[in-house]
Amino acid sequence: MAEFGAHLTGAVQNTRPTYFEVIAQEGLMIALRPAMQHTCKILAERNPEGLGWLFRFSDELYTFLDFLLQHHFLTTTAASFSENFYGLKRIVDKESGQNSNSLTLPWKQHILSMFYLVVLPYIKIKMDKLFQVTKEEDVDGFLTSTSDPLTKLKKMFLFVYPIVHMNWEGAVLAYQMAYLFRKSDYHSPFIQLSGVKLSNLTKADMLNLMVKKETEIPNTTSWTSKLLIYCRRFLALSAQGISQGLSVAVFFLQFLEWWYASENEQSRVALTSLPTPLPPSCIKDKSVKFGGDICPICEKPRTNDTALSTSGYVFCYPCIYAYIKKHQRCPVTRYPTLHQHLIKLYPPD
């Protein structure tokens, strides 16, 4: 817990965190989601049929793990995972009656903090992806009809969401600037909406954390109570292991990425010389035509040829676009695939 060493010698309690501390703890959580998605993608590419669901549901998997992690740290340290990592805690206003040295948030602030830490980022990620997909549909002429109510709703979404997103980011920037120039005690609108503000951990807080760990010994004869206590202890140890191993894991992942990148650089060949991967055995039994100008999905002559960079197969653009939107994988090889992997082909007449 070296990050707490600076706070153990301080004489002033509940000091105001610096701007760089609050920005650093937010940047830590922003970096975790792409790392999780990258891990799921690697696992899915290793075993597309068995682990392809990890890539398709990576957002839901991350949100579930984030919920467990944030709930544990808010319950035990009155801080989110990243805030506790940088030696911060959440406190409420004095008029709420909470002890300033307490490491337990009131139930209302706990629920609000969980919503703004876990639920709201998940909603934003899904809205961003929905906006990108809808924008691509509009560019490719899928939203030309004006009589369909769903089409009108999508066009309205394309117009409204950029305004909402701009106001969202503008509000966050305004709060950060106000916090930087000491015009506000809140660095984020979501901190203020949660009814809390950030403060540095004090020496008394660290002692309280140590006492909590020493006194969490099951002294009851009920097996259900013991089971609950041991489950909580297991979750606490898991969360502590994630906290302590985060920096090492990030370095290790970066090292592996550099190592494999250097190996691939030495043995790199042109993509056009690579053979087209064979379909899995579960697809071979089906009467699907892969050769010539036949689309593997509709089994008709292709129109608006579009290739997948993940597998090399060519489809009709409407067919493959709709399939990826629903399944997020190649229909032939089952490789995890997104819309950015579509490559339109323009063969010479």
Side-chain angles (χ1 to χ4, degrees):
M1 306 293 287
E3 62 268 20
F4 299 136
H7 307 299
L8 296 179
T9 57
V12 181
Q13 294 185 349
N14 297 334
T15 57
R16 185 177 187 269
T18 65
Y19 175 78
F20 299 100
E21 286 176 327
V22 297
I23 295 302
Q25 63 88 17
E26 286 193 348
L28 176 61
M29 294 307 301
I30 294 175
L32 287 181
R33 186 182 294 272
M36 178 74 176
Q37 291 178 342
H38 185 66
T39 303
C40 292
K41 181 180 178 182
I42 292 176
L43 294 176
E45 289 176 347
R46 292 289 183 180
N47 187 4
E49 297 183 10
L51 300 177
W53 64 271
L54 286 176
F55 183 72
R56 296 194 300 271
F57 299 102
S58 59
D59 289 331
E60 287 73 18
L61 180 61
Y62 175 85
T63 301
F64 174 73
L65 296 177
D66 190 30
F67 176 85
L68 296 179
L69 195 66
Q70 302 296 3
H71 175 71
H72 166 74
F73 278 95
L74 285 173
T75 303
T76 57
T77 65
S80 67
F81 164 70
S82 59
E83 292 163 358
N84 179 261
F85 186 83
Y86 283 94
L88 307 178
K89 69 174 183 177
R90 297 188 171 207
I91 59 175
V92 297
D93 296 331
K94 295 181 179 179
E95 55 267 19
S96 65
Q98 181 203 29
N99 184 2
S100 60
N101 292 325
S102 175
L103 292 177
T104 303
L105 285 175
W107 185 243
K108 178 181 178 181
Q109 279 70 29
H110 182 94
I111 295 297
L112 290 174
S113 297
M114 288 293 296
F115 175 79
Y116 290 113
L117 284 171
V118 180
V119 180
L120 192 60
Y122 173 76
I123 295 175
K124 186 178 184 299
I125 288 293
K126 288 300 182 182
M127 296 297 288
D128 289 343
K129 291 185 176 181
L130 178 61
F131 176 77
Q132 292 297 329
V133 172
T134 308
K135 186 177 179 181
E136 291 176 0
E137 291 181 357
D138 187 41
V139 171
D140 295 309
F142 284 88
L143 301 180
T144 55
S145 176
T146 57
S147 59
D148 185 11
L150 183 58
T151 302
K152 292 182 179 180
L153 185 61
K154 289 183 177 181
K155 283 187 171 292
M156 183 180 300
F157 175 72
L158 288 177
F159 175 76
V160 174
Y161 186 72
I163 300 176
V164 175
H165 187 271
M166 181 185 64
N167 291 331
W168 176 310
E169 298 295 339
V172 172
L173 178 61
Y175 269 80
Q176 291 180 357
M177 291 296 100
Y179 189 87
L180 176 62
F181 293 103
R182 294 184 175 272
K183 300 297 183 180
S184 174
D185 292 331
Y186 308 97
H187 73 282
S188 168
F190 309 116
I191 288 289
Q192 186 173 11
L193 291 173
S194 300
V196 298
K197 56 185 178 181
L198 295 184
S199 172
N200 284 319
L201 282 173
T202 63
K203 183 178 180 179
D205 296 328
M206 296 299 301
L207 295 177
N208 289 338
L209 288 174
M210 296 175 62
V211 170
K212 273 187 177 182
K213 293 180 180 179
E214 294 176 356
T215 56
E216 278 190 352
I217 301 176
N219 55 0
T220 177
T221 58
S222 174
W223 67 272
T224 55
S225 301
K226 287 184 178 181
L227 180 61
L228 180 61
I229 291 176
Y230 283 121
C231 289
R232 292 178 58 186
R233 181 175 295 179
F234 174 76
L235 291 176
L237 291 176
S238 301
Q240 185 178 4
I242 294 175
S243 176
Q244 294 179 351
L246 179 63
S247 57
V248 178
V250 171
F251 171 78
F252 186 69
L253 287 175
Q254 292 292 334
F255 174 77
L256 286 180
E257 185 177 3
W258 169 81
W259 179 268
Y260 286 110
S262 61
E263 286 187 351
N264 294 335
E265 187 68 26
Q266 297 175 1
S267 60
R268 181 173 297 175
V269 294
L271 290 177
T272 55
S273 64
L274 294 176
T276 303
L278 296 176
S281 58
C282 60
I283 302 297
K284 291 181 180 179
D285 297 334
K286 297 183 178 180
S287 58
V288 180
K289 300 179 180 179
F290 301 103
D293 58 349
I294 302 300
C295 173
I297 298 178
C298 65
E299 299 185 5
K300 297 179 181 178
R302 293 193 303 264
T303 59
N304 199 352
D305 295 357
T306 302
L308 285 183
S309 62
T310 54
S311 65
Y313 284 96
V314 183
F315 309 85
C316 301
Y317 183 81
C319 296
I320 190 60
Y321 186 93
Y323 188 91
I324 292 178
K325 182 178 180 181
K326 182 178 181 180
H327 301 284
Q328 290 85 45
R329 66 171 184 260
C330 173
V332 179
T333 62
R334 303 295 177 89
Y335 291 164
T337 305
L338 296 176
H339 285 105
Q340 54 262 36
H341 297 138
L342 296 176
I343 301 177
K344 289 188 177 182
L345 303 179
Y346 301 95
D349 296 335

